Amino acid sequence: MSVCSHASMLTVIKIKFHVINSKSSVLRNDDLKEMLESSKESLKLEAMKRIVGLIAKGKNASELFPAVVKNVASKNIELKKLVYVYLVRYAEEQQDLALLSISTFQRALKDPNQFIRASALRVLSSIRVPIIVPIMMLAIKEAAADLSPYVRKTSAHAIQKLYSLDPEQKEQLIEVIEKLLKDKSTLVAGSVVMAFEEVCPDRIDLIHKNYRKLCNLLVDVEEWGQVVIISMLTRYARTQFISPWKEDAVFDGNNEKTFYESDSEEKKDQTENKPYIMDPDHRLLLRNTKPLLQSRNTAVVMSVAQLYWHLAPKHEVSIVTKSLVRLLRSHREVQYIVLQNIATMSIQRKGMFEPFMKSFYVRSTDATHIKTLKLEILTNLANEANISTILREFQTYVKSQDKAFAAATIQAIGRCATNISEVTDTCLNGLVLLLSNRDETVVAESVVVIKKLLQTQPTQHSEIIKHMAKLFDNITVPMARASILWLMGEYCERVPKIAPDVLRKMAKTFTAEEDIVKLQTVNLAAKLYLINSKQTKLLTQYILNLGKYDQNYDIRDRTRFIRQLIVPNEKSGALNKYARRILLAPKPAPVLESSFKDRDRYQLGTLSHSLNIKASGYQELCDWPAVAPDQSVRNVEVIDPVRSHIAALDERNLCKQEFFSVLNMYMNVCSESGSESEDSSEDSEETSSDSGKSSSGSEESSSESESEQKKKKKKMKKMALQKKSKPTAADRYMSHLLYVQPFLVVSCPHIGPLRDASPRSDNQRVYFISTQLLQKIKSRLIKSTLPSRVSCLVQVTTPSFGPVKTYELLHHMTGKGLSAKYHFPRQPCLYQPSMVAVQVILTNSSDHSLEEIHIGDRNPASLNIHCFNTIERLEPEASVTVSMGVDFSDSTQAANFQLCTNTDQFSVSIQPAVGELLMPSTMAEQDFIKEQGKLQGMNETSQTVTMATANTSSQAISKQVLSVANVGVVSSSQSNFHRFAGRTVSSGALVLVTLEMKESSSAQLTINTEKSVMASMLLRDLKQALAQV
Amino acid sequence: MIHSLFLINQSGDIFLEKHWKSVIGRSVCDYFFEAKEKAVDPENVAPVLQTPHHYLISILRGKLFFLSVIQTEVPPLFVIEFLHRVADTFQDYFGDCSEGVIKDNLVTVYELLEEMLDNGFPLATESNVLKEMIRPPTILRSVVNTLTGGSNVGDTLPTGQLSNIPWRRAGVKYTNNEAYFDVIEEIDAILDKSGTTVCAEIQGVIEACVRLTGMPDLTLSFMNPRLLDDVSFHPCVRFKRWESERVLSFIPPDGNFTLMTYHVSSQNLVAIPVYVKQNISFFETGPCGRLDITIGPKQTMGKTVEGLMVTIHMPKAVLSANLTATQGNYSYDLATKVLVWDIGKLNPQKLPNLRGSLSMQAGVPRPEENPSLNIELKIQQLAISGLKVSRLDMYGEKYKPFKGVKYVTKAGKFQVRT
């Protein structure tokens, strides 16, 4: 299908060509100019297409600039875009003309279409004309504040362009970067970090406040941005956290272990003194990057791998192995880079890749550089256990048709032989066999490697040397011949008969040899002269004479030097005596090691690492700091409210002020008549509300707000006292309070979102308190508006006793890791006075973070629930406490609703115990009896209960009753009567509980209330509670 | 980051250049040509090269080199991955990524490159997003545009750019709603001379073709997800769901995409579907050699092996081959020294055989090593690892989509050493 469409498209293009060609046989620039100036859009477009074609081919089309730039304001979007392409390409060459187009872009920057704004900024910032730098600066600043994240992203790109055009603007640009770094859009994050890396990579201080946000956003950022952010965070982490490697600085390699053994004692002391605890931010980075190992983008996987390599504790690094090995299935170029990095890693940590050894087996179809890298890795992985497998594999490679690869294999065998002593002999024998190979590169490489191996252990290898001497005539590769000659000279005492003969042969062919062979011949001659001058004196002199007139000055030099050194004459000085010690000094064996040995000085995954050269713009990865810098710099004190809430907040602030002005008025009035008296119930209120607050799990708040809060509370307490003592003063200002109440009802819903999103700040505390106040006011209002109740001084208080009984809302098995528990904090509900406050503790017991926890559908639909604000994210093992308000309408009907995450929905229900639907009230005994008298007959429920003996004391009774129901204790003058009073939360109906103690642990339990259903349920619960210990 | 891009054909001509920052002369490519000259085989050119002022990072796709010029430090994989993405996009737009096609669509190519990078940093690489900005050429649209002067370029910001799911555009509508998944497994193996497995592993990929209306939320679950050892996902897959429940939950892109790739744990023994009996020998005396290859079924799980093909890279000394095949055709390319034997379907009753003589260049020592055989094959309706999709559920939309899963096993890098 596609092929066919493509073919027909070709014909279409041809037709087009034909049309144009018929008009003018040869299209030249003049014609293009004419077309551009014509009034037909299609002709203009065609002309622009041809011009872009010219640009693409690298042909010069700059002379058309005036004609093209006229079309910059064209309505046709494609034409316009092509003009942009042209403009960006040639503006630098035609600066004056380019300026003509600027006003068009300035206009487009104000376009309502975000796409147009963005592309205008893109082109404007791509025009490399220094005059417009101020205009660009202005445009960037404006775009950085644009509502569209896409435009803000473009502005981040423009920052880099402006910086490269005019580095003078750095300071201003940094300001824009700082601003954009605070952006919460995932679209912007990658681009602004890129700009940061380009413009001010050393301003690490700009990152502190954004560190956690970047970590959390990372998964949702587009893949290219991820790479940039990860590499920046790697650098950041190395400056901000202390090394996680101290405790387990034991490497896989044995030799390293012995190396570190000497100071292991010291280390032990250190670790004992100061156990390493990973900074939670450090952990955050590692945890949030881990899922990216599964990215389809190879660059992302590699960047996470390098992050783990450079930042993770040693034992965690190996989780990247699988992903890296997976990348080997990708394109040839990807393989190349990944293998390079694995090569570096495998030197330090064999264990990481050893289980995947087979993935590095070479296929005959691999490119040579891939083969060589695989070989390198296999050699790095070789150890006593797997060497036989590897050598067998190498045997296949040696026979490869790719001779460069075969030669590399021989080198690798040599390295294995030196590294693993068990196989040295086997390898050596194998290499000797290769000496009779037909391919001379193989032979040559073998000779060179054998030479190196023999040097490391020269004993008892005269046989091999003899064998090599025999092969000497057939070997033509200069390096190999030179190596054999060197070996002869070095070990001539072991082959006393053969060495002079080899020298004799060399004398014959000396002039025809390569320079490197000639040098070694001179060396051999000199050494033999010193040891066996009788046989070789003449030969040596002959060779030295030949060398004296050689064309190469190196050889002439060497010859002269050797002659002075070994042949004694009157001129030769003291050096002569030491000739033997100079020439025949024992030489250290060469170390065969990986070419990747020192690559780890570069950060993995970088261009510098790949080239093994410091590339321009490479940012050095600094060492861990010895002492961790201040961790608190990353703390974000103020959580910015989400934009949409700003308006609401302002409104609230306004209300707050209003509220306090009213309060103050009230206070002033109250203080006019001041009689101070302490009341126990007030005390209990203070303590209980305090404990309630701390148990609600709020985070720490500043001391300022604490003190402020206390102040407010004092005020209110005072107020309450005054209210009590001087009701008339209060009544006078009832109108103000009525004014306050609607405001509270309105403003309360705003508290919810804020309360859970941020540590509770002082104004919320004020609200909290104000709600308590509201309760008081309300009761007062009830009192004043319902004259029948005026007689009793009823006050709703918070109980001093608060047993926290926790119920399960959602088990973590059914909740797929999300578990929820709830309890009734027995506090007045913040949201609406008719609601029962419920605190829900959400815990994430899964191993991944949960997102967007919120309340979904509820059942019955009429059920009035105040939901908690959506929890954006709950990390594994983390838990959060949230408050809800439920209006149960004084019934024990369960509140059913759905607890949702971004992926799941769980139906849960809160079943309130009847006792939780009450609010305690305090009243005097006589008031109690009076009220009780009104609630007789139908409103009285009574039963005889048997009590556990332990429960007979008055203290125990209070405890048991309060554990069941949220009621207040009424002080009693009769010791055998215990009285409790409360009100239902929703309708405010009185609930009076009386317990009359009878003989031998039986008692008469009476409940007086209008809500007879509740009474019987409460009776049952109380009976049960009193019966048990 | 990426400064400039040059497209170079096999003969070393630069047929397209694009600069995202200031212009860099094409003479910078000379360093690359030098390296290419040295490497002989284009495959062997190192992907990363250094020149006095620039760094060159190149990829080879088809027969084209995509050569990018870099000026400062950048993760090389970043560039390589991007260049492949560019090539993929061309493939996606034009059905092919060859010199001819690119030259024919030069303007579209240029527009694409303009959108994909801004200042050398990737801007839009998601196919869905690009297609909304620059519509792929079709016959109809070309004709209409020629007549009306309309354009292929969109003037609004693609919806995907701003959303959390950039891979899917809004307002997708189909009359037939369908979702197809192809589970394709490839066996990578090296067998030695005697037929024993040196190493073998299974690499799988799930290719999806989803044409569903609206914003469907799909969940794909497996019968045996434990088989999957290592996975990589399209960005649409919710990794957390995978970690906790081992199901693939995603809002799919519109059209064709690769949902996931996986690796089957190497502990499981890999079934090798065919065996190869081979005897290739080059005689010491006389300029000839002999070749005799027979292929038979081994562990095919009762399925037919199709598309069987053997490729042999002969040593340079082999001049020609005089062979007879009992089934299929063979061809020997004299220039590249590649022998291809296209067998087709494997008949277990009558095993295909290729035998005959090879004539060698006189006076050249006989090759040290016998060439290895590369085998291609295909087995329909079988995932060799045993992986099975158990169900596909759709949420978020009301209609019933048509669903289908297909399994194919192929030989990946399947090599027999001789």
Side-chain angles (χ1 to χ4, degrees):
Chain A
M1 161 61 192
S2 62
V3 174
C4 133
S5 78
H6 164 62
S8 38
M9 215 195 57
L10 273 182
T11 54
V12 169
I13 288 173
K14 270 176 199 150
I15 293 165
K16 273 199 263 180
F17 272 62
H18 187 71
V19 170
I20 293 153
N21 285 358
S22 64
K23 249 185 249 166
S24 57
S25 54
V26 187
L27 268 174
R28 284 209 316 274
N29 286 352
D30 287 348
D31 306 299
L32 286 171
K33 224 176 262 178
E34 211 170 276
M35 285 165 77
L36 282 171
E37 272 154 23
S38 87
S39 55
K40 275 189 185 167
E41 286 274 287
S42 55
L43 271 182
K44 282 183 182 176
L45 189 60
E46 187 57 44
M48 271 325 292
K49 284 187 175 174
R50 314 196 118 242
I51 293 167
V52 167
L54 290 177
I55 295 173
K57 288 185 195 116
K59 298 212 172 83
N60 191 3
S62 61
E63 59 171 37
L64 290 163
F65 201 98
V68 172
V69 83
K70 278 180 202 159
N71 291 305
V72 73
S74 168
K75 288 271 181 300
N76 183 320
I77 186 95
E78 186 167 19
L79 180 61
K80 190 148 83 175
K81 282 222 160 167
L82 293 177
V83 173
Y84 285 179
V85 169
Y86 183 92
L87 206 56
V88 171
R89 171 69 179 77
Y90 287 113
E92 207 171 0
E93 294 174 27
Q94 310 252 354
Q95 305 210 346
D96 292 343
L97 285 171
L99 291 177
L100 294 175
S101 63
I102 301 301
S103 61
T104 318
F105 297 124
Q106 282 180 301
R107 218 174 310 128
L109 282 171
K110 304 260 184 285
D111 198 282
N113 182 337
Q114 51 178 339
F115 194 44
I116 305 235
R117 286 202 301 277
S119 47
L121 180 60
R122 267 183 74 186
V123 183
L124 181 67
S125 55
S126 300
I127 296 175
R128 300 179 53 81
V129 179
I131 301 175
I132 62 162
V133 164
I135 299 177
M136 277 164 75
M137 195 67 224
L138 205 66
I140 289 172
K141 280 185 178 165
E142 261 176 43
D146 200 288
L147 281 179
S148 157
Y150 184 71
V151 177
R152 296 203 297 275
K153 183 191 180 76
T154 317
S155 78
H157 289 180
I159 289 172
Q160 304 162 50
K161 295 183 211 169
L162 181 54
Y163 180 65
S164 70
L165 184 63
D166 183 7
E168 298 276 293
Q169 305 292 322
K170 188 172 176 177
E171 286 314 311
Q172 284 199 61
L173 289 174
I174 290 176
E175 280 171 29
V176 184
I177 290 174
E178 191 173 358
K179 188 173 165 195
L180 283 173
L181 274 172
K182 293 189 183 122
D183 204 300
K184 289 198 172 61
S185 165
T186 51
L187 207 58
V188 182
S191 299
V192 69
V193 171
M194 187 66 224
F196 170 85
E197 290 281 77
E198 206 126 297
V199 178
C200 51
D202 46 340
R203 288 291 302 277
I204 235 100
D205 56 302
L206 296 181
I207 302 300
H208 292 320
K209 289 268 178 276
N210 300 299
Y211 173 84
R212 289 176 194 160
K213 183 196 75 189
L214 283 173
C215 286
N216 287 323
L217 282 184
L218 197 54
V219 188
D220 297 320
V221 174
E222 37 87 34
E223 25 188 30
W224 309 108
Q226 286 172 347
V227 178
V228 178
I229 295 175
I230 291 173
S231 93
M232 186 273 291
L233 289 180
T234 311
R235 227 158 26 82
Y236 178 85
R238 282 288 276 259
T239 62
Q240 298 300 318
F241 306 127
I242 49 166
S243 170
W245 303 337
K246 275 183 183 144
E247 279 182 303
D248 46 1
V250 181
F251 296 98
D252 285 13
N254 297 331
N255 35 359
E256 273 102 336
K257 206 183 270 174
T258 49
F259 175 74
Y260 281 104
E261 226 151 64
S262 56
D263 51 17
S264 62
E265 283 293 299
E266 202 182 336
K267 204 166 282 144
K268 225 175 253 168
D269 290 343
Q270 273 179 6
T271 50
E272 269 165 24
N273 291 342
K274 209 174 139 194
Y276 171 74
I277 298 160
M278 189 183 269
D279 188 308
D281 286 328
H282 189 173
R283 177 51 69 200
L284 178 76
L285 179 59
L286 292 176
R287 194 173 51 221
N288 284 6
T289 47
K290 193 180 157 199
L292 297 179
L293 282 174
Q294 258 60 45
S295 170
R296 64 165 171 177
N297 188 316
T298 56
V300 175
V301 178
M302 187 67 231
S303 64
V304 178
Q306 67 84 21
L307 180 129
Y308 264 79
W309 179 259
H310 291 294
L311 298 182
K314 293 287 183 197
H315 58 94
E316 282 177 43
V317 179
S318 49
I319 66 161
V320 307
T321 314
K322 261 186 198 170
S323 305
L324 283 179
V325 172
R326 183 184 72 230
L327 299 188
L328 297 180
R329 279 277 298 176
S330 191
H331 298 286
R332 173 187 72 104
E333 298 84 10
V334 175
Q335 285 182 38
Y336 176 75
I337 304 293
V338 174
L339 285 171
Q340 279 187 329
N341 286 294
I342 292 181
T344 304
M345 290 166 134
S346 62
I347 290 173
Q348 285 191 34
R349 311 204 45 200
K350 285 182 190 189
M352 251 174 94
F353 292 96
E354 216 196 308
F356 297 89
M357 195 175 77
K358 287 190 172 173
S359 302
F360 303 107
Y361 280 7
V362 174
R363 290 183 158 79
S364 60
T365 42
D366 287 334
T368 306
H369 53 255
I370 301 287
K371 287 181 188 166
T372 326
L373 282 170
K374 283 185 174 176
L375 194 66
E376 174 71 38
I377 294 167
L378 283 175
T379 316
N380 291 341
L381 294 183
N383 59 24
E384 286 84 355
N386 60 21
I387 185 66
S388 58
T389 329
I390 288 181
L391 281 182
R392 201 173 324 124
E393 194 60 22
F394 280 179
Q395 274 170 17
T396 332
Y397 302 163
V398 167
K399 287 188 267 169
S400 165
Q401 289 172 32
D402 186 343
K403 290 306 161 197
F405 173 56
T409 309
I410 294 166
Q411 294 255 8
I413 295 174
R415 261 179 61 200
C416 290
T418 42
N419 294 343
I420 301 160
S421 50
E422 283 92 334
V423 292
T424 309
D425 288 341
T426 331
C427 289
L428 207 47
N429 290 337
L431 289 173
V432 169
L433 283 181
L434 287 178
L435 289 176
S436 40
N437 194 293
R438 243 169 309 161
D439 190 274
E440 66 179 31
T441 44
V442 172
V443 177
E445 205 63 45
S446 310
V447 171
V448 175
V449 173
I450 290 172
K451 183 203 109 180
K452 287 182 184 166
L453 280 183
L454 287 185
Q455 241 180 303
T456 51
Q457 24 181 253
T459 47
Q460 306 159 353
H461 288 306
S462 53
E463 278 308 309
I464 293 172
I465 298 172
K466 273 180 204 162
H467 185 71
M468 287 169 90
K470 273 183 215 154
L471 291 170
F472 186 73
D473 292 343
N474 299 326
I475 294 171
T476 53
V477 179
M479 190 61 213
R481 286 175 76 85
S483 293
I484 295 178
L485 288 176
W486 185 88
L487 271 179
M488 290 292 153
E490 195 63 22
Y491 305 115
C492 53
E493 279 165 323
R494 295 178 196 279
V495 282
K497 286 184 184 153
I498 295 168
D501 194 49
V502 170
L503 188 65
R504 180 184 61 80
K505 283 183 194 163
M506 284 314 296
K508 266 199 270 183
T509 57
F510 186 84
T511 48
E513 296 290 345
E514 286 279 333
D515 292 344
I516 181 173
V517 184
K518 283 178 183 169
L519 284 176
Q520 287 307 325
T521 313
V522 174
N523 269 358
L524 173 64
K527 286 174 187 168
L528 282 175
Y529 181 87
L530 290 176
I531 286 162
N532 185 4
S533 63
K534 207 189 280 174
Q535 266 186 313
T536 57
K537 191 176 182 185
L538 287 174
L539 266 175
T540 306
Q541 268 171 356
Y542 176 67
I543 286 168
L544 287 179
N545 280 337
L546 283 177
K548 194 175 173 185
Y549 300 106
D550 198 272
Q551 279 181 325
N552 185 303
Y553 56 79
D554 258 353
I555 295 165
R556 294 200 297 274
D557 262 8
R558 178 74 63 90
T559 315
R560 235 169 257 137
F561 162 70
I562 292 286
R563 189 191 290 276
Q564 288 300 320
L565 189 61
I566 58 171
V567 184
N569 58 15
E570 68 278 6
K571 269 189 212 162
S572 61
L575 217 52
N576 198 331
K577 287 178 215 156
Y578 302 108
R580 188 178 265 260
R581 277 169 68 181
I582 289 167
L583 283 174
L584 293 169
K587 294 166 185 70
V591 185
L592 296 172
E593 60 183 19
S594 168
S595 56
F596 283 82
K597 187 91 189 164
D598 54 351
R599 287 254 180 133
D600 55 352
R601 65 199 147 123
Y602 297 112
Q603 188 176 353
L604 287 184
T606 58
L607 185 63
S608 304
H609 175 267
S610 183
L611 290 166
N612 201 15
I613 283 169
K614 191 172 170 178
S616 66
Y618 173 75
Q619 299 276 333
E620 208 73 56
L621 197 63
C622 55
D623 228 335
W624 299 100
V627 182
D630 186 12
Q631 302 181 359
S632 64
V633 291
R634 283 181 296 278
N635 289 345
V636 187
E637 292 99 349
V638 188
I639 292 183
D640 294 343
V642 193
R643 268 163 203 263
S644 60
H645 282 274
I646 288 177
L649 268 176
D650 288 342
E651 197 180 274
R652 255 160 26 93
N653 285 343
L654 213 98
C655 292
K656 196 170 93 178
Q657 282 168 7
E658 213 175 326
F659 172 63
F660 280 114
S661 63
V662 173
L663 250 183
N664 284 340
M665 259 157 74
Y666 182 84
M667 299 302 298
N668 293 337
V669 171
C670 289
S671 55
E672 283 172 12
S673 57
S675 75
E676 301 266 346
S677 72
E678 281 297 324
D679 190 298
S680 64
S681 74
E682 294 298 334
D683 259 347
S684 74
E685 181 195 332
E686 187 187 350
T687 50
S688 66
S689 64
D690 260 351
S691 70
K693 245 163 268 156
S694 56
S695 73
S696 71
S698 65
E699 288 165 49
E700 80 276 24
S701 57
S702 64
S703 57
E704 198 189 352
S705 72
E706 204 103 57
S707 63
E708 204 176 315
Q709 178 219 343
K710 266 184 194 152
K711 237 183 272 168
K712 297 259 158 64
K713 202 187 276 171
K714 256 184 205 156
K715 276 182 186 175
M716 273 191 317
K717 201 162 84 180
K718 210 164 124 195
M719 190 171 74
L721 290 172
Q722 283 159 352
K723 241 190 325 186
K724 201 190 259 179
S725 55
K726 211 166 165 55
T728 47
D731 281 337
R732 238 195 295 161
Y733 290 92
M734 216 40 97
S735 59
H736 286 300
L737 294 170
L738 280 168
Y739 183 62
V740 173
Q741 195 186 12
F743 145 69
L744 278 172
V745 173
V746 171
S747 66
C748 280
H750 286 301
I751 301 170
L754 251 165
R755 201 179 133 82
D756 301 317
S758 59
R760 201 193 284 166
S761 54
D762 60 335
N763 57 352
Q764 282 156 9
R765 285 188 190 255
V766 171
Y767 279 111
F768 185 80
I769 289 154
S770 65
T771 344
Q772 286 192 324
L773 178 69
L774 177 73
Q775 298 289 343
K776 291 178 194 158
I777 292 164
K778 206 183 148 205
S779 62
R780 186 57 73 92
L781 279 174
I782 292 166
K783 195 176 69 179
S784 54
T785 49
L786 302 171
S788 66
R789 290 187 184 170
V790 169
S791 53
C792 66
L793 194 69
V794 182
Q795 199 159 16
V796 182
T797 58
T798 324
S800 55
F801 179 72
V804 185
K805 200 168 174 188
T806 308
Y807 308 89
E808 183 139 82
L809 188 60
L810 179 66
H811 190 257
H812 70 90
M813 293 301 279
T814 44
K816 295 177 183 171
L818 176 68
S819 71
K821 287 181 176 156
Y822 68 94
H823 65 90
F824 297 94
R826 293 196 174 178
Q827 283 167 4
C829 180
L830 295 174
Y831 312 113
Q832 270 178 38
S834 65
M835 284 181 169
V836 176
V838 183
Q839 283 198 340
V840 182
I841 303 159
L842 298 161
T843 310
N844 181 359
S845 30
S846 66
D847 53 352
H848 56 90
S849 58
L850 297 163
E851 284 173 9
E852 290 175 34
I853 302 170
H854 60 279
I855 287 177
D857 297 339
R858 54 195 77 162
N859 176 38
S862 60
L863 185 69
N864 193 0
I865 298 185
H866 185 95
C867 308
F868 55 89
N869 193 33
T870 301
I871 295 164
E872 292 301 340
R873 193 180 179 84
L874 190 58
E875 297 296 342
E877 307 303 323
S879 68
V880 63
T881 308
V882 293
S883 295
M884 294 174 63
V886 184
D887 188 348
F888 288 102
S889 317
D890 292 344
S891 79
T892 51
Q893 189 187 11
N896 298 310
F897 57 91
Q898 283 189 312
L899 196 58
C900 309
T901 64
N902 60 339
T903 48
D904 295 294
Q905 300 181 325
F906 311 104
S907 293
V908 292
S909 70
I910 293 180
Q911 176 82 52
V914 65
E916 304 294 348
L917 300 173
L918 304 177
M919 291 286 283
S921 39
T922 37
M923 54 176 80
E925 196 180 356
Q926 61 270 37
D927 294 330
F928 184 93
I929 293 164
K930 205 185 252 175
E931 288 297 323
Q932 198 176 22
K934 291 176 188 164
L935 295 165
Q936 295 291 330
M938 285 278 288
N939 295 335
E940 189 178 89
T941 318
S942 182
Q943 207 176 351
T944 311
V945 295
T946 324
M947 300 191 12
T949 41
N951 283 346
T952 45
S953 74
S954 71
Q955 218 171 4
I957 288 170
S958 296
K959 190 182 155 212
Q960 288 298 338
V961 172
L962 292 183
S963 76
V964 168
N966 189 13
V967 288
V969 185
V970 177
S971 51
S972 168
S973 54
Q974 295 151 284
S975 64
N976 59 336
F977 274 92
H978 298 278
R979 296 191 170 94
F980 305 90
R983 283 186 178 278
T984 62
V985 172
S986 195
S987 63
L990 269 180
V991 178
L992 307 173
V993 180
T994 318
L995 192 69
E996 189 190 352
M997 298 300 288
K998 299 263 174 68
E999 69 287 347
S1000 69
S1001 73
S1002 78
Q1004 181 72 21
L1005 183 61
T1006 312
I1007 297 175
N1008 299 71
T1009 177
E1010 292 165 0
K1011 305 266 173 188
S1012 51
V1013 184
M1014 283 180 89
S1016 58
M1017 288 168 87
L1018 189 59
L1019 191 72
R1020 190 193 61 207
D1021 286 357
L1022 284 173
K1023 191 178 162 189
Q1024 209 168 5
L1026 291 169
Q1028 64 190 217
V1029 182
Chain B
M1 284 208 154
I2 298 171
H3 212 106
S4 302
L5 174 71
F6 295 95
L7 296 191
I8 299 167
N9 67 11
Q10 216 175 5
S11 46
D13 299 326
I14 304 167
F15 64 93
L16 185 142
E17 61 178 72
K18 170 92 182 102
H19 309 276
W20 284 276
K21 301 186 182 182
S22 53
V23 179
I24 293 177
R26 36 173 76 189
S27 58
V28 74
C29 299
D30 293 346
Y31 296 98
F32 173 76
F33 294 134
E34 205 176 293
K36 187 169 163 257
E37 205 64 36
K38 251 187 238 166
V40 187
D41 195 4
E43 280 266 303
N44 286 345
V45 185
V48 184
L49 294 171
Q50 194 196 12
T51 76
H53 300 292
H54 303 97
Y55 307 97
L56 307 178
I57 298 183
S58 62
I59 63 158
L60 179 63
R61 268 295 275 266
K63 283 168 181 160
L64 301 180
F65 279 106
F66 288 65
L67 176 73
S68 61
V69 184
I70 309 292
Q71 268 188 324
T72 50
E73 171 67 52
V74 60
L77 267 186
F78 185 97
V79 182
I80 289 169
E81 177 81 26
F82 176 78
L83 293 178
H84 277 293
R85 212 57 83 78
V86 171
D88 290 340
T89 308
F90 291 169
Q91 188 103 30
D92 190 27
Y93 262 73
F94 314 123
D96 190 14
C97 179
S98 67
E99 189 186 355
V101 165
I102 291 174
K103 276 184 170 169
D104 286 343
N105 296 290
L106 207 57
V107 174
T108 313
V109 164
Y110 226 70
E111 284 170 345
L112 278 174
L113 290 176
E114 184 72 27
E115 285 305 327
M116 290 180 85
L117 280 185
D118 182 17
N119 195 38
F121 189 77
L123 188 63
T125 50
E126 208 53 65
S127 161
N128 268 291
V129 168
L130 282 172
K131 280 184 178 166
E132 264 182 82
M133 286 197 270
I134 301 152
R135 295 178 196 104
T138 60
I139 327 156
L140 183 70
R141 199 170 295 137
S142 308
V143 173
V144 170
N145 287 350
T146 334
L147 296 176
T148 62
S151 73
N152 279 326
V153 181
D155 62 348
T156 48
L157 185 67
T159 47
Q161 273 288 33
L162 285 180
S163 79
N164 293 333
I165 38 172
W167 55 85
R168 190 172 179 91
R169 65 194 164 92
V172 184
K173 267 209 171 89
Y174 288 103
T175 40
N176 295 323
N177 289 295
E178 44 193 24
Y180 298 112
F181 295 90
D182 290 2
V183 179
I184 304 164
E185 297 200 331
E186 296 195 353
I187 307 169
D188 285 358
I190 300 177
L191 306 183
D192 73 1
K193 221 178 226 172
S194 58
T196 28
T197 313
V198 177
C199 68
E201 53 189 13
I202 298 170
Q203 306 283 349
V205 56
I206 299 183
E207 298 282 357
C209 175
V210 179
R211 294 174 201 285
L212 297 174
T213 307
M215 275 284 168
D217 196 332
L218 303 180
T219 306
L220 184 82
S221 43
F222 298 101
M223 305 269 268
N224 38 12
R226 281 180 193 289
L227 275 178
L228 307 180
D229 191 30
D230 180 51
V231 285
S232 77
F233 298 121
H234 189 276
C236 68
V237 177
R238 298 183 181 105
F239 185 67
K240 282 165 207 153
R241 283 290 297 277
W242 171 256
E243 277 213 317
S244 60
E245 298 165 58
R246 298 274 142 181
V247 296
L248 299 179
S249 159
F250 56 100
I251 293 172
D254 186 36
N256 295 313
F257 65 99
T258 304
L259 180 62
M260 77 180 290
T261 61
Y262 60 87
H263 178 262
V264 173
S265 60
S266 41
Q267 278 80 13
N268 299 5
L269 284 177
V270 178
I272 304 291
V274 291
Y275 69 85
V276 180
K277 260 197 245 166
Q278 45 76 29
N279 181 19
I280 304 175
S281 50
F282 300 104
F283 301 124
E284 199 71 57
T285 54
C288 72
R290 173 165 293 174
L291 179 145
D292 188 343
I293 304 171
T294 310
I295 297 187
K298 204 171 165 188
Q299 291 161 288
T300 61
M301 321 283 179
K303 300 275 201 282
T304 329
V305 178
E306 297 168 37
L308 199 56
M309 186 145 82
V310 180
T311 312
I312 309 169
H313 291 263
M314 287 292 181
K316 296 272 178 286
V318 176
L319 284 179
S320 66
N322 185 15
L323 311 165
T324 41
T326 60
Q327 188 188 342
N329 303 312
Y330 81 93
S331 64
Y332 183 64
D333 187 328
L334 296 177
T336 56
K337 310 278 180 197
V338 176
L339 176 76
V340 179
W341 178 26
D342 190 349
I343 302 166
K345 207 175 252 179
L346 181 66
N347 181 0
Q349 270 72 50
K350 192 164 164 285
L351 299 180
N353 171 267
L354 179 74
R355 78 171 79 190
S357 62
L358 304 165
S359 61
M360 311 279 292
Q361 201 177 340
V364 173
R366 81 179 170 100
E368 193 70 32
E369 187 201 29
N370 289 335
S372 51
L373 318 179
N374 293 298
I375 294 176
E376 278 171 54
L377 57 84
K378 202 163 146 184
I379 306 171
Q380 300 280 9
Q381 287 148 24
L382 172 74
I384 198 93
S385 67
L387 186 76
K388 274 227 150 57
V389 172
S390 72
R391 57 183 300 153
L392 176 74
D393 300 308
M394 186 179 75
Y395 305 97
E397 295 288 336
K398 299 267 179 278
Y399 56 84
K400 278 252 174 289
F402 191 79
K403 303 178 271 192
V405 180
K406 204 168 83 182
Y407 300 91
V408 185
T409 297
K410 288 178 180 175
K413 296 171 178 169
F414 195 105
Q415 202 161 74
V416 182
R417 287 174 178 167
T418 56

